[in-house]
Amino acid sequence: MSQKEFVKPVGLETPYRLFNLGGTAFVESKQGDDLDIMPASWNCPLDYDKMTVVIDSTHYSRKLIEASEYILLAVPGMGIQKEILYLGSVSKNDNPNKIADSGLKFFTLPDCDFPLPEGCSAWAVIKLIREPHNEKTYDLFMGQIVKAWADSRVFSNNHWHLEEGPDELRSMHYVAGGHFYAIGKRVDVTL
Amino acid sequence: MSQKEFVKPVGLETPYRLFNLGGTAFVESKQGDDLDIMPASWNCPLDYDKMTVVIDSTHYSRKLIEASEYILLAVPGMGIQKEILYLGSVSKNDNPNKIADSGLKFFTLPDCDFPLPEGCSAWAVIKLIREPHNEKTYDLFMGQIVKAWADSRVFSNNHWHLEEGPDELRSMHYVAGGHFYAIGKRVDVTL
């Protein structure tokens, strides 16, 4: 069964929650047929419907992002851990066949211009809010979430319930050198 | 035994790693004797030695931060989950005794002007990089890590080894409404 069958739209009131666990994200960008994907640990909600992400000027993705002014952010899971590391280790500057070589698979949705990577728990289309000073000085990009989806086995009604889905969808939190931690157990705190 | 005995300085080459797991952080601020602490999920590395954090203008902390231009960022663990939720639920605008009422404990270090909250895995003193447009428009603050420490049971030689320390030090990743996930198992990926 394809993951696509579990993917449901997420409302745009509080879509930051898709990224609030703080794991490594995929940044997908494209201009015409030219597609790139890179993992970015330095992604963060900026508001209920806005995100920041740091994208170094040396990355192939950077020119696609600045030209198209849209990115797809996604939250990759444990099940595609090798794909995450490969996509973060190889630049499309060096290997134009990077994405095929990574083994990452995709599905499509009728209302999304980006191919959506399989093995993620959440996806969001982000329209850049251009802030040239932040981009030039800090490699920091800001954007508005304009569409969002999640795998309904682990996220629905604006809440994560990772414990009800496959462990392959648990987010990956990067340290360095191929060393990650997966997100762990649910903790419900009451005062 | 006090946690203080395990706390070691962290070098300033790659101190972002203290925050790279993406968990909820404490933001501590002070002006004279006026101290505030609030949890902030929206914290993120901006560079190897720089951080961003979103601090809404309604927070009591905000005026302390703008006046002193320094904050302490810390990574609270599972063992102080009620303190995290309390400090995020009660404003010092409403309860001037908030910090004492939270039950949070502190230790001091000779080379740190901030009291350091116990039950955290990492602490960093951040000097603001003032960017008035970002502060006013997005409530986004940027800063340079100028001093850092970690609990050596779970972080040393610039790497996390949470699996070797007490689970009480595992980072907490917020969803909403008292619902968190703790960071989970270590995953070492090779290509």
Side-chain angles (χ1 to χ4, degrees), chain A residues 118-144:
Chain A
E118 288 198 15
C120 297
S121 54
W123 304 262
V125 175
I126 314 261
K127 179 174 173 32
L128 292 193
I129 299 165
R130 300 308 297 264
E131 289 284 3
H133 171 68
N134 288 332
E135 296 174 13
K136 283 185 194 164
T137 309
Y138 302 110
D139 297 319
L140 181 73
F141 288 79
M142 296 175 160
Q144 175 86 33

Side-chain angles (χ1 to χ4, degrees), chain A residues 89-111:
Chain A
S89 304
V90 174
S91 170
K92 200 171 174 179
N93 289 317
D94 303 319
N95 178 4
N97 209 35
K98 163 187 175 174
I99 295 175
D101 289 352
S102 77
L104 192 66
K105 295 182 179 64
F106 295 87
F107 63 95
T108 58
L109 292 174
D111 56 343

Side-chain angles (χ1 to χ4, degrees), chain A residues 58-173:
Chain A
T58 59
H59 290 306
Y60 187 90
S61 296
R62 180 81 176 244
K63 70 178 171 60
L64 305 182
I65 293 167
E66 295 198 32
S68 74
E69 301 197 319
Y70 280 88
I71 57 174
L72 182 82
L73 272 189
V75 181
M78 273 182 72
I80 53 169
Q81 56 188 258
K82 280 182 183 287
E83 289 85 340
I84 299 170
L85 188 63
Y86 182 87
L87 290 165
S89 304
V90 174
S91 170
K92 200 171 174 179
N93 289 317
D94 303 319
N95 178 4
N97 209 35
K98 163 187 175 174
I99 295 175
D101 289 352
S102 77
L104 192 66
K105 295 182 179 64
F106 295 87
F107 63 95
T108 58
L109 292 174
D111 56 343
C112 185
D113 289 338
F114 290 94
L116 294 101
E118 288 198 15
C120 297
S121 54
W123 304 262
V125 175
I126 314 261
K127 179 174 173 32
L128 292 193
I129 299 165
R130 300 308 297 264
E131 289 284 3
H133 171 68
N134 288 332
E135 296 174 13
K136 283 185 194 164
T137 309
Y138 302 110
D139 297 319
L140 181 73
F141 288 79
M142 296 175 160
Q144 175 86 33
I145 300 174
V146 294
K147 292 181 184 176
W149 302 266
D151 188 308
S152 56
R153 292 173 293 179
V154 292
F155 185 95
S156 57
N157 296 319
N158 290 324
H159 280 278
W160 288 104
H161 40 86
L162 290 158
E163 61 284 2
E164 296 172 11
D167 277 350
E168 288 69 26
L169 292 180
R170 288 185 180 269
S171 54
M172 294 280 281
H173 301 248

Side-chain angles (χ1 to χ4, degrees), chain B residues 138-152:
Chain B
Y138 303 109
D139 296 320
L140 180 73
F141 288 79
M142 295 175 161
Q144 175 86 33
I145 300 175
V146 294
K147 291 180 184 176
W149 302 266
D151 188 308
S152 56

